[in-house]
Structure formats: C-alpha cells, structure tokens
C-alpha cells in the first residue's frame, strides 16, 4: 500500500486514489498526562496540499502534540495515522514519507552540510539528488559550510531542503519561524506556499506568530491548556468572531454574558463576541476580528 | 543497519576512540596493569555519548526512518566494533611483550591468552552497566559511566586478587608457559561467551528502556 502512496503522479507524490481513500494525517483523541499538564482528546485531520497552522500560547501543548504524533512522546491513549497507517505500528514506513523538525537543524553543528546530507540521504528510498542540488542552489546553501555557520533562517531552509529531497509528503514543523527576522519569515512562508502548490505537499506547523498564519495557512488548529479549541478553515474561523468596543454604559447584561475577554478602562470596554451573538451589539461598534485578537481574547477570558 | 553504522562512524564516533587504539602499545610496558589500556577505550566510548549530547545525536537519529530499537542496536554494534578493534590492535603488542621482554609483569596479569578472556568480561560488564543505565534517560551519562567504571574495577580487582593469591591460578593463568595454553584458551572462550551474553543482554535492556522514554 505504501508503495502506491509513493508513486509519483504528475509531480504529486500522493496519488489521487490515495487522497480519496485516506486522510493523509488523522489525529484521534490524543491524550497524554504529565504531573502538571494534560493533553486531552486532541483530534484533527490534515488534507493533502494544504498548510495548517497549529496555534496556542506557550505551554498549550503544541510541541507535546507534535511529538506524540511522530512517536517521540508516547501517548496514553488515542491514535495517529498517516496515509491510513498507525504511527505506532508503521513508524519507519511513515517516516520515509514525512519529515519533521523541532527547532530546525540544531544537530551536528560542527559538521559540514555535505557530511550530514551524506548520512541522511542513505536512509531514504526516494532520495532525489538532483532535487537536493536544486534546493541547495535555490536556497543559496553552501554544502561546504558547517551547520553552525548557518543563520536560523538558513537552518530552516536546510531542513526543508532535506525534507523535500526525499519527497516528504507531509512536513511537520515546530515553530519554524520563531526567532527569524520578518524578511526571513516571509521568505520561509513563501517557500511553504511554493512547496504546497508545486508538490501537493502538506504542511503542519506550530507557531505563536499569528501573522504568519494569516499569510499562508489554509486551516488552523487551535489548542488551549492541552485541549482543542477548534480545527477549521482559517477564514471561517476568523469570520465567526467580531471585535466590539464602546463605552462602559453600553455593556449591557446580555452583552456581558456573551462577550469574550472583556477589557474595561476609563469608561471604555473592548472584547470579542461570536458572530452568532451579534444580535446583542446593536448600537455598538464592531470590527472584523483577526486571529491574534481572537486568540488574545479567548486566552484572556480564561485567565480572568 | 548498514546505514546506521555508516552514520555512527561518519558522525558520531569520537576521534579519541581511534587515538586510544594506539594505547594498546602500553602492553609493551614491562610492569603495568594492562587492563588500563583497554579501560581507555571505554573512555573513548563515553566520549561518543558526550559528543552525542552536544550534537543532539538522539534527536537527529529519531528524525531518521528507523525504529528506535535500531538506533540502540547500531550504537551497541559500534561499541562492540571498537572494543574488538582495541583487542585486535593489542594482540601484536601482547605477542611482542611476551616474546621479546622476558620479564614478569610485577604489576598484575601477563598479557596472555587468559588475560584477553578477562578483558572480554570487563568489556561485557562495561556494556551491561553503561548502556542499560544510559538508555534509561538517553541523556544522563555521568552516573552510568561511574557505575560502569566501578563494575569494571571491582571485576579486575577481584580477578587479580584471585589469580595473585591462589597458587594454582597464579601458576596456570599468570604465565606465558605454553603448557597452560589449554586452560588459558578455556578462560578466553568463556570470556568471549560472557562478553557476547552480557552485550546481547545490554542491547535488549537498553533498547527496551529507549523505546519507553519520551524524547
């Protein structure tokens, strides 16, 4: 079955047949308990050829979820399947067709890229040396350089070059844009879009930089305190909320019951409401909500 | 496994491991506890793990499309290869010492056939204590190495005491006299057997530990 998955079809590494038959990534009721934190029943799916942003504040459980997905962390219950195969029973086969990175290339920093690649490529049946050379040129990576000599942005590019050269169909990246300057972030996001558009690769990346997601994410999965808040189309998610603000005397009881993350200061209030509750905002200024405002208000509500 | 071994020798093996092979020449010292030259290789192996931590080796390995168990197997095989190399490189020096320097070693066992059997046991004990303890966490290596050193020291101390203080063992084991070669060959064979059994056991326990831990 896996062989079929890897067959190339019009430059796409996931055949239409497979796409129709399987969700390429399915996370079901993932649970993991630590002494001070619990990941509870996290479920979502990833569609082929899409970019999914995985958001949540620091400590929400993003990295734990991603690690549990690739079996670096043992989940207590739930399951994760790639291309219809369970990660716990088909780990090696699945890893031939996916790539993941937690914090970019921060291994063997004293080694030259050529030495790391020389080892890495041997493990992949589908390693494409020509594609690798193309990516090196495209990303302006010098194989003679040591990994430690690369900037943070270049390290992300190098890990992408490795992933794409074995035709990974799913890239799972933990905060690939954290610590990058705005120009480098934009560059990486453009590469994400190209990769998805050209190869039908799917990308799941965690971030707390919401503007990155607004630039390129098709879907978002939002996690809070180890629990899934939502996993849906980016636009429909942001469209389902409105920002409201007005004077404190406009803050009626019905509005107080529906407003999320209300903040009052100097006789003014601001907050977030669900679109379905917009009936209670007559006469009050509303504005479209962006992802950052939604997250901030939802998290604020929780901490209040 | 071939690819994993390639990775081990291309990226992970610390250069001192090769340097310590040359310390086999310490077998030429007329009076010396010859176990020490083999002990150095365990230090080289320890450096592989220290380097592995500095280089995020465990993380790099988990990116690769192999079962976690294979990462442990490759590391165990690398260690065995280095230990065997240390023994192989020592043999010419042991022969030179035994044939060209007609002085008894006043500091312990002669570097004879039985001695190599005991070195195999020492390496087996190192593998068992160090690997099984290290892979309980895959990052703490100081305490495992300390325990490994203690187990090797206790074994070497006890075997030296037994041989030096027991006349029959002193006569048969601490000598180059070919008359006692059959007995010494028996010690070598038993030593190899113990090494193999302890190393297999250490791999199994280490792999089981490594599969359990969250990374």
């Amino acid at each position: 079955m896996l062989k079929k998955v890897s067959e190339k079809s019009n430059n796409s590494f996931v055949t239409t047949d497979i796409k129709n038959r399987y969700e390429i990534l399915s996370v079901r009721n993932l649970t993991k308990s630590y002494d001070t934190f619990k990941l509870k029943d996290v479920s979502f799916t990833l569609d082929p050829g899409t970019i999914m942003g995985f958001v949540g504040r620091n400590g929400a459980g993003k990295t734990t979820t991603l690690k549990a997905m690739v079996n670096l962390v043992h989940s207590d219950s739930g399951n994760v399947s790639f291309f219809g195969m369970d990660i716990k029973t088909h780990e090696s086969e699945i890893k031939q067709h996916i790539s993941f990175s937690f914090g970019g290339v921060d291994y063997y920093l004293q080694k030259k890229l050529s030495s790391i690649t020389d080892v890495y490529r041997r493990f992949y049946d589908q390693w494409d040396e020509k594609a690798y050379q193309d990516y090196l040129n495209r990303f302006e990576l010098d194989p003679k350089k040591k990994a430690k000599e690369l900037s943070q942005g270049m390290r992300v590019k190098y890990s992408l070059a490795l992933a794409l050269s074995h035709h990974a169909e799913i890239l799972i990246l933990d905060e690939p844009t954290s610590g990058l300057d705005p120009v480098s972030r934009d560059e990486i996001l453009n590469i994400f879009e190209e990769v998805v558009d050209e190869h039908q690769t799917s990308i799941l990346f965690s971030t707390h930089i919401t503007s990155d997601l607004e630039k390129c994410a098709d879907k978002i999965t939002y996690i809070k305190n180890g629990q899934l808040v939502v996993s849906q189309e980016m636009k429909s998610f942001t469209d389902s909320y409105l920002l409201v603000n007005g004077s404190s005397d406009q803050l009626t009881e019905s509005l107080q019951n529906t407003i999320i993350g209300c903040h009052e200061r100097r006789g003014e209030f601001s907050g977030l409401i669900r679109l379905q509750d917009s009936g209670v905002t007559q006469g009050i200024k509303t504005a479209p909500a962006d992802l950052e405002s939604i997250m901030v208000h939802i998290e604020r509500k929780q901490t209040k | 496994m071939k690819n994993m071994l390639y990775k081990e020798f291309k990226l992970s093996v610390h250069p001192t491991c090769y340097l310590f092979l040359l310390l086999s020449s310490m077998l030429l010292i007329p009076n010396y506890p010859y176990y020490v030259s083999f002990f150095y290789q365990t230090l080289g192996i320890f450096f592989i793990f220290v380097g592995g931590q500095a280089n995020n080796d465990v993380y790099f390995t988990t990116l690769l499309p192999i079962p976690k168990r294979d990462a442990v197997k490759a590391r165990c095989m690398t260690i065995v290869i280095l230990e065997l190399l240390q023994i192989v490189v020592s043999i010419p020096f042991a022969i030179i010492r035994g044939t060209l320097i007609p002085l008894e070693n006043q500091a312990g066992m002669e570097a004879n056939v039985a001695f190599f059997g005991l070195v195999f046991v020492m390496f087996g004990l190192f593998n068992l204590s160090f690997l099984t303890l290290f892979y309980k966490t895959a990052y703490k290596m100081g305490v495992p190495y300390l325990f490994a050193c203690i187990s090797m020291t206790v074994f070497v101390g006890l075997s030296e005491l037994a041989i030096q203080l027991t006349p029959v063992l002193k006569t048969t084991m601490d000598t180059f006299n070919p008359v006692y070669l059959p007995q010494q060959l028996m010690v070598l064979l038993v030593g190899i057997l113990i090494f193999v059994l302890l190393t297999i056991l250490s791999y199994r326990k280490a792999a089981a530990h490594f599969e359990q831990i969250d990374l």
Side-chain angles (χ1 to χ4, degrees):
Chain A
M1 182 185 65
L2 191 68
K3 246 189 165 142
K4 197 161 189 178
V5 176
S6 65
E7 282 171 9
K8 297 183 185 182
S9 164
N10 297 328
N11 210 25
S12 164
F13 303 102
V14 184
T15 65
T16 310
D17 186 29
I18 292 293
K19 273 189 226 172
N20 292 341
R21 251 193 292 165
Y22 301 106
E23 290 150 335
I24 56 167
L25 166 61
S26 161
V27 178
R28 296 261 173 256
N29 306 109
L30 206 58
T31 300
K32 172 76 183 175
S33 291
Y34 292 103
D35 292 341
T36 53
F37 173 77
K38 188 174 182 192
L39 196 68
K40 289 161 260 180
D41 283 330
V42 173
S43 301
F44 61 90
T45 59
L46 180 67
D47 300 324
T50 58
I51 299 176
M52 177 185 276
F54 194 35
V55 287
R57 64 186 301 176
N58 292 338
K62 301 189 294 291
T63 302
T64 304
T65 305
L66 296 181
K67 284 190 168 180
M69 283 167 55
V70 293
N71 226 8
L72 293 184
V73 162
H74 299 79
S75 56
D76 298 334
S77 61
N79 62 67
V80 178
S81 63
F82 291 85
F83 319 111
M85 293 177 290
D86 195 295
I87 186 71
K88 286 187 174 158
T89 50
H90 295 81
E91 185 175 345
S92 304
E93 293 153 275
I94 288 169
K95 281 185 179 175
Q96 283 282 347
H97 297 271
I98 68 168
S99 181
F100 55 92
S101 171
F102 294 90
V105 175
D106 61 350
Y107 43 78
Y108 288 106
L109 296 178
Q110 300 291 344
K111 299 284 182 186
K112 288 179 182 170
L113 301 191
S114 55
S115 301
I116 297 173
T117 306
D118 180 39
V119 169
Y120 187 87
R121 67 183 173 82
R122 291 165 189 271
F123 290 87
Y124 292 94
D125 304 337
Q126 293 197 91
W127 181 261
D128 185 340
E129 187 60 30
K130 188 181 171 307
Y132 174 68
Q133 294 300 333
D134 288 346
Y135 283 118
L136 285 187
N137 292 332
R138 189 163 150 192
F139 298 160
E140 296 173 338
L141 287 161
D142 179 359
K144 289 182 198 140
K145 273 196 172 176
K146 290 179 178 176
K148 69 169 184 179
E149 293 167 341
L150 301 183
S151 66
Q152 206 62 34
M154 293 301 264
R155 287 186 197 179
V156 175
K157 285 182 188 173
Y158 177 57
S159 66
L160 286 173
L162 289 177
L164 298 171
S165 302
H166 70 82
H167 300 307
E169 293 146 34
I170 302 175
L171 307 183
I172 297 170
L173 308 165
D174 190 23
E175 311 222 353
T177 53
S178 295
L180 302 190
D181 64 77
V183 178
S184 302
R185 282 206 336 255
D186 184 62
E187 217 177 349
I188 297 293
L189 297 177
N190 285 339
I191 294 168
F192 284 179
E193 288 174 344
E194 282 170 32
V195 164
V196 167
D197 294 344
E198 286 172 24
H199 302 298
Q200 282 293 293
T201 303
S202 303
I203 298 176
L204 168 63
F205 78 104
S206 71
T207 184
H208 53 260
I209 306 170
T210 50
S211 59
D212 287 355
L213 299 175
E214 275 156 4
K215 275 184 195 163
C216 71
D218 301 302
K219 277 180 84 172
I220 68 146
T221 294
Y222 175 19
I223 187 171
K224 190 177 85 167
N225 294 335
Q227 277 183 306
L228 190 79
V229 175
V230 72
S231 182
Q232 70 176 92
E233 300 286 328
M234 173 81 176
K235 192 165 176 345
S236 70
F237 178 63
T238 50
D239 285 352
S240 62
Y241 289 94
L242 286 172
L243 288 171
V244 290
N245 68 74
S247 61
S248 293
D249 53 11
Q250 289 177 297
L251 196 56
T252 59
E253 197 182 332
S254 56
L255 185 55
Q256 276 180 343
N257 290 335
T258 52
I259 198 163
I260 300 165
C262 183
H263 177 66
E264 275 188 271
R265 187 165 184 256
R266 293 181 181 169
E268 297 280 317
F269 80 92
S270 64
L272 183 79
I273 56 161
R274 288 186 184 83
L275 188 65
Q276 70 215 38
D277 299 327
S278 58
V280 297
T281 62
Q282 280 163 351
I284 298 170
K285 268 194 285 180
T286 62
D290 60 8
L291 185 58
E292 183 165 319
S293 328
I294 296 171
M295 267 187 71
V296 166
H297 284 90
I298 290 176
E299 298 287 345
R300 186 189 290 163
K301 183 192 174 197
Q302 212 274 330
T303 54
K304 204 171 171 183
Chain B
M1 192 44 59
K2 193 178 75 180
N3 292 333
M4 270 309 286
L5 281 175
Y6 185 86
K7 175 249 155 199
E8 289 288 284
F9 281 92
K10 177 100 182 182
L11 296 179
S12 308
V13 171
H14 199 273
T16 51
C17 293
Y18 302 117
L19 202 67
F20 287 152
L21 288 178
L22 301 176
L23 294 183
S24 297
S25 59
M26 289 165 82
L27 266 62
L28 294 176
I29 301 171
N31 295 307
Y32 197 70
Y34 296 128
Y35 291 102
V36 173
S37 69
F38 299 90
F39 174 86
Y40 274 114
Q41 189 53 260
T42 67
L43 191 62
I45 291 164
F46 174 65
F47 288 159
I48 296 178
F49 288 83
V50 174
Q53 194 172 49
N55 288 310
N56 256 337
D57 176 73
V58 169
Y59 169 58
F60 176 71
T61 308
T62 54
L63 297 179
L64 302 172
I66 52 154
K68 281 168 90 177
R69 182 166 279 271
D70 280 7
V72 179
K73 190 188 275 182
R75 182 53 58 89
C76 289
M77 286 174 76
T78 305
I79 290 169
V80 168
I81 289 169
L82 289 168
E83 289 167 344
L84 292 180
L85 269 177
Q86 188 76 31
I87 287 172
V88 168
V89 174
S90 301
I91 290 172
F93 294 107
I95 292 171
I96 294 169
R97 167 67 180 84
T99 52
L100 299 184
I101 306 172
L103 297 170
E104 258 188 38
N105 180 11
Q106 300 298 314
M109 277 275 285
E110 301 295 342
N112 57 21
V113 173
F115 169 77
F116 281 102
L118 296 174
V119 167
F120 270 110
V121 178
M122 186 184 95
F123 277 149
L125 286 170
F126 168 78
N127 295 347
L128 184 68
S129 33
F130 183 68
L131 290 172
T132 50
L133 287 175
F134 172 76
Y135 280 106
K136 277 188 174 175
T137 62
Y139 68 92
K140 281 184 189 168
M141 62 200 75
V143 172
Y145 190 64
L146 180 69
F147 274 99
C149 288
I150 291 171
S151 65
M152 286 190 294
T153 308
V154 167
F155 167 73
V156 168
L158 289 179
S159 58
E160 278 288 351
L161 273 176
I163 288 166
Q164 301 305 325
L165 300 179
T166 316
V168 66
L169 290 178
K170 175 80 178 159
T171 311
T172 53
M173 296 297 140
D174 193 13
T175 178
F176 280 109
N177 189 340
V179 172
Y180 300 110
L181 192 59
Q183 290 93 321
Q184 293 195 7
L185 275 173
M186 189 55 72
V187 172
L188 177 65
L189 285 176
V190 171
I192 291 172
L193 188 67
I194 291 172
F195 172 76
V196 171
L197 291 175
L198 291 180
T199 304
I200 290 172
L201 182 65
S202 26
Y203 158 64
R204 288 193 174 165
K205 286 181 82 171
H209 287 320
F210 191 50
E211 281 182 337
Q212 293 292 315
I213 56 176
D214 289 336
L215 298 168

